[in-house]
Amino acid sequence: MSIRLCLLGPPRLWTDHAVQELPLDRPASLGYILVHRGDWVRRAELADLYSPQADEAAAQSNLRKLLHRLRHQGWADGLEAEPTRLRLPLPTDVQAFRTAIAQGDWATALALHQGDFLQGLAVPGLPAFADWLAQERQDVARAWRAALLAHAQDLERQGEWLQAETWLERLVRADPIDEPAVQGLMRVLHASGRPEQAEDTFERLRAALRAELGVEPMAATRALAERLR
């Protein structure tokens, strides 16, 4: 039976027969870290992460309690424990997502991206964990943007204007001042016979940049707008 842990979007466990929604609590978060790391993780590192203010004995005791509760959730049966380290080997959609990007398989990468990394998960009172989670979400978001932009550019080169437009609009909705995405959207709108909409797209960008940052579009974007006119 094939099993995969999905960390893009709300955490889920996929098997051949069913999809199981997973918890958003502290014990589960420990499992997600172990799976995402994909290798052995030192107990001392995890103890510091989950009990930053406690002494070593108390921190290790708290980690053992978290492990006990994690095992009872039923999805972490493959947890491997040694005296100084832990591991939970499970394939994840994040691994498949990054592999697809490395291979330039943009369609697969975008299909795998079902939302933010560990969407909905928050563990109050653990600033180091919050920093780790924020960094991972940012890294995944950057990879998603790069994949989406590359896929749209491939479609543009192939003359698939409407498909390219769909993806580029998604990028611009996510970040209205993403100038490479706006440039792509301007080009495909113009190529598909809608120069007025291309101009409107440029003007919306200019208004957003002025309102948010007090700056004008980049020279390349202004030059593109002039050329399309």
Side-chain angles (χ1 to χ4, degrees), residues 10-79:
R12 304 165 315 283
L13 188 69
W14 284 72
T15 68
D16 292 334
H17 308 296
V19 180
Q20 176 187 351
E21 300 291 332
L22 296 180
L24 295 170
D25 57 15
R26 191 170 294 204
S29 73
L30 173 60
Y32 303 147
I33 287 180
L34 292 171
V35 173
H36 187 57
R37 290 281 288 270
D39 203 350
W40 292 101
V41 183
R42 293 183 304 110
R43 285 178 181 260
E45 177 185 344
L46 295 166
D48 288 343
L49 184 65
Y50 282 92
S51 302
Q53 305 301 323
D55 60 41
E56 182 178 356
Q60 290 290 346
S61 175
N62 182 50
L63 179 61
R64 287 192 294 273
K65 293 175 184 176
L66 284 175
L67 286 169
H68 178 74
R69 292 168 60 192
L70 173 61
R71 285 191 172 99
H72 277 74
Q73 291 189 353
W75 62 271
D77 296 337
L79 180 66

Side-chain angles (χ1 to χ4, degrees), residues 59 137 149 201:
R137 283 175 174 163
L149 188 58
T201 298

Side-chain angles (χ1 to χ4, degrees), residues 78-205:
L79 180 66
E80 300 175 20
E82 293 185 356
T84 61
R85 59 185 190 168
L86 301 166
R87 182 170 68 171
L88 182 50
L90 273 177
T92 72
D93 56 349
V94 178
Q95 295 164 358
F97 173 72
R98 294 197 182 282
T99 297
I101 289 175
Q103 296 172 347
D105 186 354
W106 314 123
T108 297
L110 296 174
L112 286 164
H113 189 276
Q114 297 296 309
D116 291 339
F117 177 73
L118 289 174
Q119 186 174 311
L121 178 65
V123 183
L126 298 179
F129 182 91
D131 290 345
W132 171 82
L133 185 58
Q135 184 61 55
E136 292 299 321
R137 283 175 174 163
Q138 188 177 68
D139 289 347
V140 168
R142 277 198 296 262
W144 171 80
R145 177 197 172 275
L148 201 159
L149 188 58
H151 184 50
Q153 289 169 343
D154 280 350
L155 291 169
E156 182 184 352
R157 283 191 289 269
Q158 295 162 17
E160 299 288 350
W161 314 124
L162 294 180
Q163 290 186 53
E165 179 188 347
T166 297
W167 290 112
L168 289 164
E169 283 185 336
R170 186 172 174 183
L171 269 178
V172 174
R173 282 197 302 271
D175 183 3
I177 60 174
D178 183 343
E179 291 202 48
V182 171
Q183 290 172 14
L185 184 57
M186 290 166 61
R187 288 194 303 269
V188 300
L189 287 169
H190 190 274
S192 61
R194 289 170 289 167
E196 297 85 359
Q197 287 183 245
E199 178 68 17
D200 289 345
T201 298
F202 173 72
E203 292 300 335
R204 284 196 298 272
L205 168 69

